[in-house]
């Protein structure tokens, strides 16, 4: 069962995601006129910023709803599978924010696909969820579907590698890793964990029979109160990010 995306709800519940990823553009340091692919462009928030800097940007996303939203924002956006990008040595840079952790089927195929899309010397700059990302929420979702008789490994849509693992994958895929870090970013949730689950938890709930979805969501929220809700700050998510810049050798 796949995740369904609603661009409008994404803006309301998770507008902080592109905001917190904006500094990736400085890590990419694009020059006017360069061609950049935004991998997992979503509604195109970062692509719009790239275009503003006179970068020739193409966005790709696996969700048609997001592609349409990016087009409405003026972006040349395409609906394609990141495991098999239809580009050959076309981009000076590939930028990706909060998307690689959704590409769980074959992360090495994604890396090879990005490598092929870049010119020699091209940069791959990204941020995504690393080991321990949203660990409390992830654990609660997995526990809830397991308690209802499903195998969480078959449902779980996310890939949160360690820094060492992802560096090794990039190198195996032919990249030179210039910078790679993993860090914690506890993040307040503007519409609570309810909004977060409604935006991102779909794959877990959709795997359940219709009549179990609402009670399962309520139970996940209950499971999270002791660790993720605070009287002063409200709800926060325990985000952990991997951020890197890698280069296809010249
Ligand atoms: C993230 O941006 O880290 C994330 C978003 C949705 C689900 C899981 C992780």
């Amino acid at each position: 069962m796949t995740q369904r995306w609603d661009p409008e709800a994404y803006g309301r519940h998770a507008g902080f995601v592109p905001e917190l990823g904006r500094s990736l553009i400085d890590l990419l340091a694009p020059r006017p006129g360069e061609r950049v692919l935004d991998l997992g462009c979503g509604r195109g928030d970062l692509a719009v910023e790239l275009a503003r800097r006179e970068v020739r940007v193409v966005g790709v996303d696996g969700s048609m709803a997001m592609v349409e939203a990016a087009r409405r924002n003026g972006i040349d956006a395409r609906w394609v599978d990141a495991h098999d990008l239809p580009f050959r040595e076309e981009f000076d840079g590939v930028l990706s924010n909060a998307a690689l952790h959704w590409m769980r089927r074959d992360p090495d195929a994604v890396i090879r696909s990005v490598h092929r899309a870049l010119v020699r010397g091209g940069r791959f700059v990204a941020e995504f969820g690393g080991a321990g990302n949203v660990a409390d929420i992830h654990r609660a979702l997995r526990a809830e579907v397991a308690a209802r008789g499903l195998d969480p490994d078959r449902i779980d849509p996310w890939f949160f590698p360690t820094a060492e693992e992802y560096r090794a994958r990039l190198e195996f895929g032919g990249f030179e890793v210039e910078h790679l870090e993993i860090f914690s970013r506890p993040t307040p949730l503007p519409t609570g964990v309810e909004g977060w689950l409604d935006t991102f938890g779909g794959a877990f709930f959709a795997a359940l029979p219709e009549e179990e979805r609402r009670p399962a969501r309520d139970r996940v929220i209950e499971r999270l109160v002791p660790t993720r809700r605070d009287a002063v700050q409200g709800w926060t998510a325990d985000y952990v990010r991997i951020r890197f810049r890698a280069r296809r050798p010249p």
Side-chain angles (χ1 to χ4, degrees), residues 120-153:
R120 290 172 196 282
R123 295 98 77 201
F124 181 20
V125 166
E127 180 178 302
F128 69 109
N133 191 38
V134 294
D136 291 332
I137 301 176
H138 197 193
R139 199 177 305 113
L141 283 164
R142 289 178 59 94
E144 190 56 32
V145 293
R148 291 170 186 273
L150 299 180
D151 176 359
D153 288 337

Side-chain angles (χ1 to χ4, degrees), residues 130-144 158 160 186-187 189 193 196-197 204 219-229 235-240:
N133 191 38
V134 294
D136 291 332
I137 301 176
H138 197 193
R139 199 177 305 113
L141 283 164
R142 289 178 59 94
E144 190 56 32
W158 303 325
F160 299 138
T187 305
L189 298 177
V193 82
W196 196 97
L197 290 172
F204 289 91
R219 184 69 194 109
V220 168
I221 294 166
E222 271 171 35
R223 287 177 187 270
L224 288 168
V225 168
T227 51
R228 304 284 12 132
R229 195 172 69 182
W235 288 99
T236 55
D238 44 347
Y239 277 91
V240 174

Side-chain angles (χ1 to χ4, degrees), residues 60-200:
V60 292
D61 206 283
S63 155
M64 195 60 211
M66 287 298 197
V67 166
E68 284 166 358
R71 287 179 181 161
R72 286 195 293 278
N73 284 328
I75 299 304
D76 172 3
R78 325 248 177 105
W79 183 47
V80 300
D81 181 355
H83 292 80
D84 189 19
L85 294 168
F87 306 113
R88 300 291 176 271
E89 304 203 355
E90 287 179 48
F91 294 98
D92 303 294
V94 172
L95 182 85
S96 181
N97 181 43
L100 293 173
H101 49 250
W102 291 99
M103 302 172 195
R104 173 190 166 108
R105 180 162 54 81
D106 187 349
D108 294 323
V110 173
I111 290 170
R112 284 196 301 274
S113 184
V114 169
H115 192 274
R116 283 194 300 270
L118 284 168
V119 298
R120 290 172 196 282
R123 295 98 77 201
F124 181 20
V125 166
E127 180 178 302
F128 69 109
N133 191 38
V134 294
D136 291 332
I137 301 176
H138 197 193
R139 199 177 305 113
L141 283 164
R142 289 178 59 94
E144 190 56 32
V145 293
R148 291 170 186 273
L150 299 180
D151 176 359
D153 288 337
R154 297 178 68 93
I155 298 165
D156 195 333
W158 303 325
F159 161 67
F160 299 138
T162 63
E164 294 72 25
E165 176 189 340
Y166 206 72
R167 174 186 285 275
R169 287 187 188 275
L170 285 168
E171 289 172 351
F172 182 67
F175 281 99
E176 285 169 1
V177 178
E178 296 179 342
H179 169 85
L180 189 146
E181 62 182 322
I182 186 163
F183 58 95
S184 296
R185 183 191 280 149
T187 305
L189 298 177
T191 56
V193 82
E194 297 87 346
W196 196 97
L197 290 172
D198 293 346
T199 310
F200 297 124

